[in-house]
């Protein structure tokens, strides 16, 4: 049994993609992918339950960890001419089993991220309806939590059904809409900052660090979720002018801008509303209602509803394509690689993605979804950092024009240690569910994936 059989790479391949993206394009791409649920939803719970006003420090810590991981993505994207992201990169350097684990973690990340954004979207819709005097039965307002009387998030479930059908039919239009929503995000954030700064009460920032440094680190482990999507910049490497310089600048630039926006929004948010009252699902709009400016809150809610919906569409699109790519390698059932002849989309893979996302979005509370998303993402980022060290052993130093991670192996090892540290700050329940998920992934590989692998077929022939 060869668990580490590898895909063959062609390092001399010349890309056919047009190199037309500039640094500003990459930064916009990164910001569009990063800013979503993190700024509109997670900031509230993270302030109330973990870090208080010191959440700004949590964002800085999480941002540094993300930059370290992003550099590995940049070098992989510029050196290995294969599609499929971390899954395909690790298939080349570590072999099939490690690639499957990375693919499984990616599936979990995308699946849980879709569910998380849908849950956050539900919170803003409910807040908007409440401002109009419309309320759902408590049992249908959030995931399973009998202590709060909630059992299923009806709106989150409905949005998953809608998004699944939309992506299976109109993927290109959906992604164009998602890109356009970047400007809506900027407008909403600018409105909140410009309007909210006049209602800040500095006394609300005291105590600044109510949960100590432990709370800051725990907050960083949660808000790491707010930065997911940065890898979209590295994925565009083959279409970038002067990728050696612009890809790392695009990654660091988009993360830096997002971090600044997170810090400013968090400062104003905790300055307007005492952190103890921010444990709501729509904190940015809630802050406006808190100071009796419900109209502004409603405008922010509508904008957040639009942008979060498009982020959900983009993530569902990515999840369906990931399932499609892995099924083409035979590690998942091959029916998911079937393409609908009319729509030319992997409709069956999309339906599978939607079915699982529906379960998680409707049944699990947002904070649990966010933590599970983080631990899955941190796991494959560890593999990516270790993969850079192995890549250097296989192919040597990057050639001229290829991006180079500095100080290998020291920087990748620091990245590994940083990711592991954030993982240790997550709740025990999160680790238990993650362990169960990991076992399920390993079982799927040995029961199905290994025997049906395309590489297995090649060995037989």
């Amino acid at each position: 049994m060869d668990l580490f059989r590898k895909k063959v790479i062609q390092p001399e391949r010349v890309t056919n993609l047009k190199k037309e993206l500039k640094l500003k394009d990459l930064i916009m791409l990164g910001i569009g992918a990063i800013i979503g649920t993190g700024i509109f939803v997670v900031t509230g719970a993270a302030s109330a339950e973990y870090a208080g006003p010191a959440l700004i420090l949590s964002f800085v810590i999480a941002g540094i960890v993300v930059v370290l991981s992003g550099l590995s993505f940049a070098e992989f994207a510029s050196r290995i001419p294969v599609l499929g992201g971390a899954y395909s990169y690790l298939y080349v350097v570590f072999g099939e089993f490690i690639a499957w684990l990375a693919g499984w973690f990616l599936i979990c990340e995308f699946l849980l991220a879709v569910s998380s954004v849908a849950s956050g979207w539900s919170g803003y819709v409910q807040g908007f309806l409440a401002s109009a005097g419309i309320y759902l039965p408590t049992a249908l307002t959030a995931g399973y939590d009998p202590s709060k009387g909630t059992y299923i998030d009806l709106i989150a479930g409905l949005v998953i059904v809608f998004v699944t059908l939309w992506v299976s039919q109109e993927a290109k239009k959906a992604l164009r809409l998602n890109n356009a929503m970047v400007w809506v995000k900027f407008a909403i954030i600018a409105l909140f900052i410009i309007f909210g700064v006049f209602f800040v009460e500095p006394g609300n920032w005291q105590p600044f660090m109510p949960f100590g440094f432990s709370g800051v680190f725990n907050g960083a482990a949660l808000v790491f979720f707010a930065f997911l999507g940065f890898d979209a910049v590295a994925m565009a490497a083959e279409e970038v002018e002067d990728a050696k310089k612009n890809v790392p600048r695009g990654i660091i630039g988009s993360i830096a801008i997002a971090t600044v926006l997170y810090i400013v929004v968090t400062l104003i948010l905790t300055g307007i509303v005492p952190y103890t009252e921010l444990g709501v699902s729509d904190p940015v709009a809630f802050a406006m209602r808190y100071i009796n400016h419900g109209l502004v809150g409603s405008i922010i809610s509508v904008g957040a509803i639009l942008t979060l919906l498009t982020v959900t569409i983009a993530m569902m699109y990515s999840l369906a394509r990931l399932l499609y790519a892995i099924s083409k390698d035979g590690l998942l059932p091959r029916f998911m690689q079937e393409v609908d002849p009319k729509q030319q989309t992997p409709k069956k893979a999309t339906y599978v993605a939607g079915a699982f996302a529906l379960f998680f979005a409707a049944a699990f509370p947002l904070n649990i979804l966010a933590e599970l998303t983080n631990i899955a993402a941190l796991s494959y980022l560890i593999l990516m950092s270790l993969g850079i060290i192995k890549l250097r052993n296989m192919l040597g130093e990057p050639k001229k024009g290829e991006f180079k991670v500095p100080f290998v192996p020291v920087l990748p090892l620091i990245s590994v240690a940083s990711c592991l540290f954030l993982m240790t700050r997550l709740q025990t329940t999160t680790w238990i569910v993650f362990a169960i998920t990991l076992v399920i992934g390993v079982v799927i590989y040995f029961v199905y994936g290994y025997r049906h692998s395309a590489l297995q077929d090649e060995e037989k022939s």
Side-chain angles (χ1 to χ4, degrees):
M1 177 177 282
D2 184 5
L3 300 181
F4 303 103
R5 49 197 179 191
K6 300 174 182 177
K7 282 186 175 181
V8 178
I9 62 172
Q10 300 173 340
E12 301 300 326
R13 193 204 72 168
V14 178
T15 179
N16 294 319
L17 298 177
K18 187 176 181 181
K19 292 182 177 293
E20 59 182 359
L21 297 180
K22 297 179 172 58
L23 177 59
K24 64 179 182 180
D25 299 313
L26 292 181
I27 291 177
M28 287 297 292
L29 175 65
I31 291 173
I34 292 170
I35 295 179
T37 310
I39 203 163
F40 293 122
V41 181
V42 175
T43 45
S47 296
E49 300 173 18
Y50 292 93
L55 186 66
I56 60 172
L57 301 180
S58 301
F59 277 117
V60 172
I61 293 169
I64 292 171
V65 175
V66 169
V67 167
L68 291 174
S69 300
L71 296 178
S72 297
F73 267 92
E75 181 168 331
F76 266 116
S78 66
R79 299 192 69 187
I80 296 186
V82 291
L83 301 176
Y87 162 73
S88 292
Y89 299 151
L90 296 176
Y91 216 145
V92 170
V93 296
F94 283 133
E96 187 173 271
F97 180 64
I98 301 300
W100 163 254
L101 288 181
W104 181 246
F105 293 146
L106 278 166
I107 289 171
C108 293
E109 179 199 339
F110 281 129
L111 174 64
L112 293 166
V114 168
S115 304
S116 300
V117 178
S119 180
W121 191 86
S122 172
Y124 270 88
V125 171
Q126 290 180 49
F128 179 72
L129 293 176
S131 67
I134 302 172
Y135 298 90
L136 292 177
T138 301
L140 303 179
T141 57
Y144 185 78
D145 189 350
S147 65
K148 297 181 180 178
T150 61
Y151 293 89
I152 187 171
D153 193 330
L154 177 63
I155 293 178
L158 291 176
V159 75
I160 288 292
V161 172
F162 168 77
V163 166
T164 302
L165 294 174
W166 179 265
V167 169
S168 68
Q169 300 293 327
E170 302 286 349
K172 289 184 179 179
K173 291 181 181 179
L175 293 181
R176 284 196 211 106
L177 178 63
N178 185 68
N179 293 336
M181 285 297 107
V182 172
W183 296 106
V184 177
K185 294 177 189 180
F186 277 137
I188 298 169
I189 294 169
L191 175 64
F192 176 76
I193 293 173
I194 294 170
F195 193 87
V197 71
F198 295 103
F199 295 90
V200 168
E201 295 289 343
N204 288 332
W205 292 329
Q206 299 298 327
F208 179 70
M209 200 180 295
F211 304 100
F213 281 105
S214 177
V216 171
F217 292 133
N218 292 341
L222 178 61
V223 301
F224 181 82
F225 173 83
F227 291 96
L228 297 182
F230 72 90
D231 52 333
V233 177
M235 296 300 188
E238 290 187 23
E239 300 169 86
V240 178
E241 293 180 0
D242 196 1
K244 181 179 180 181
K245 294 181 179 178
N246 285 334
V247 168
R249 289 175 179 173
I251 291 172
I252 295 171
S254 58
I255 292 171
I257 292 172
T259 303
V260 170
L261 289 175
Y262 287 148
I263 288 173
V264 173
V265 169
T266 300
L267 275 173
I268 294 176
L269 190 64
T270 53
I272 294 174
V273 184
Y275 74 89
T276 54
E277 299 184 39
L278 281 173
V280 295
S281 56
D282 59 339
V284 178
F286 172 79
M288 295 295 98
R289 296 196 297 271
Y290 186 85
I291 55 176
N292 298 316
H293 285 278
L295 178 60
V296 178
S298 296
I299 294 172
I300 290 174
S301 289
V302 171
I305 287 167
L306 291 174
T307 57
L308 291 177
L309 180 60
T310 56
V311 172
T312 311
I313 291 171
M315 288 182 172
M316 181 67 77
Y317 177 92
S318 300
L319 174 58
R321 270 59 184 177
L322 178 62
L323 294 176
Y324 170 75
I326 296 177
S327 67
K328 287 184 70 176
D329 288 332
L331 302 184
L332 286 174
R334 295 181 187 271
F335 77 87
M336 284 190 281
Q337 66 177 281
E338 294 179 20
V339 176
D340 181 80
K342 183 178 179 181
Q343 303 294 338
Q344 294 190 323
T345 59
K347 186 173 285 188
K348 291 185 178 179
T350 305
Y351 288 158
V352 170
F356 282 97
L358 174 62
F359 169 72
F360 282 100
F364 286 80
L366 176 62
N367 62 327
I368 293 178
L369 289 172
E371 286 208 6
L372 288 172
T373 305
N374 285 352
I375 199 168
L378 288 164
S379 297
Y380 90 79
L381 292 178
I382 288 172
L383 295 177
M384 285 289 287
S385 295
L386 294 175
I388 282 295
I389 300 173
K390 183 64 182 294
L391 182 66
R392 291 289 182 87
N393 291 334
M394 290 174 59
L395 302 181
E397 294 288 311
K399 298 177 181 178
K400 184 178 180 180
E402 295 177 336
F403 175 68
K404 179 181 179 180
V405 175
F407 308 115
V408 173
V410 175
L411 210 56
L413 291 176
I414 291 174
S415 177
V416 170
S418 301
C419 291
L420 285 171
F421 176 73
L422 289 187
M423 291 172 74
T424 64
R425 311 303 299 188
L426 297 172
Q427 298 179 55
T428 303
T429 304
T430 304
W431 275 96
I432 293 172
V433 176
F434 175 69
I436 294 171
T437 302
L438 179 59
V439 170
I440 292 172
V442 172
V443 169
I444 291 173
Y445 176 74
F446 284 107
V447 172
Y448 183 89
Y450 183 84
R451 293 186 297 158
H452 294 84
S453 168
L455 294 185
Q456 178 83 344
D457 295 339
E458 291 177 12
E459 291 174 359
K460 290 179 181 179
S461 61

